[in-house]
Amino acid sequence: MIMRVMGEGQFEVGETHLNRLNELDDELLTALESGDEEHFRRALVELLGAVKTFGTPLPDDSLEPSDLILPDVEATIDQVRELLRAEGDGLIPGIPE
């Protein structure tokens, strides 16, 4: 799965890591619902860090379409809420059963 982190490029992340990314996404949703800025910031940094850790960066000149677009680390709670409205159920999709 190719994930674009706004302002940082694309990362190819294997499906084996999607469960962990979903856990981090759930934590981000919890932080958004609580409105706790510190919790939100921590959760966003952890999610984006995991994408970069588990993912392989694609070259800047790559023309691969992104499966997901994630906010940058500086995104506000309101900006991420807007993304979630557009995406639906979190930023990272669940694995089909």
Side-chain angles (χ1 to χ4, degrees), residues 82-94:
E82 280 301 311
L83 276 175
L84 289 172
R85 281 190 198 109
E87 296 296 324
D89 196 26
L91 294 173
I92 309 291

Side-chain angles (χ1 to χ4, degrees), residues 1 3 15-30 47 50-51 54 68 89-96:
M1 175 175 283
M3 300 181 183
E15 286 190 23
T16 58
H17 300 292
L18 290 182
N19 281 336
R20 177 64 181 137
L21 293 176
N22 272 304
E23 291 171 1
L24 295 171
D25 191 33
D26 288 345
E27 187 62 31
L28 182 63
L29 288 172
T30 299
L47 174 62
V51 168
F54 298 142
L68 295 172
D89 196 26
L91 294 173
I92 309 291
I95 297 174

Side-chain angles (χ1 to χ4, degrees), residues 67-87:
D67 297 305
L68 295 172
I69 298 176
L70 301 172
D72 65 72
V73 73
E74 298 297 321
T76 66
I77 286 178
D78 289 336
Q79 290 169 330
V80 174
R81 282 185 180 134
E82 280 301 311
L83 276 175
L84 289 172
R85 281 190 198 109
E87 296 296 324

Side-chain angles (χ1 to χ4, degrees), residues 11-60:
F11 299 85
E12 187 165 8
V13 180
E15 286 190 23
T16 58
H17 300 292
L18 290 182
N19 281 336
R20 177 64 181 137
L21 293 176
N22 272 304
E23 291 171 1
L24 295 171
D25 191 33
D26 288 345
E27 187 62 31
L28 182 63
L29 288 172
T30 299
L32 282 170
E33 290 168 3
S34 75
D36 181 333
E37 177 72 31
E38 187 177 317
H39 185 194
F40 162 76
R41 188 68 41 211
R42 245 187 350 261
L44 180 59
V45 166
E46 193 169 356
L47 174 62
L48 296 177
V51 168
K52 294 174 199 172
T53 297
F54 298 142
T56 302
L58 295 180
D60 289 338

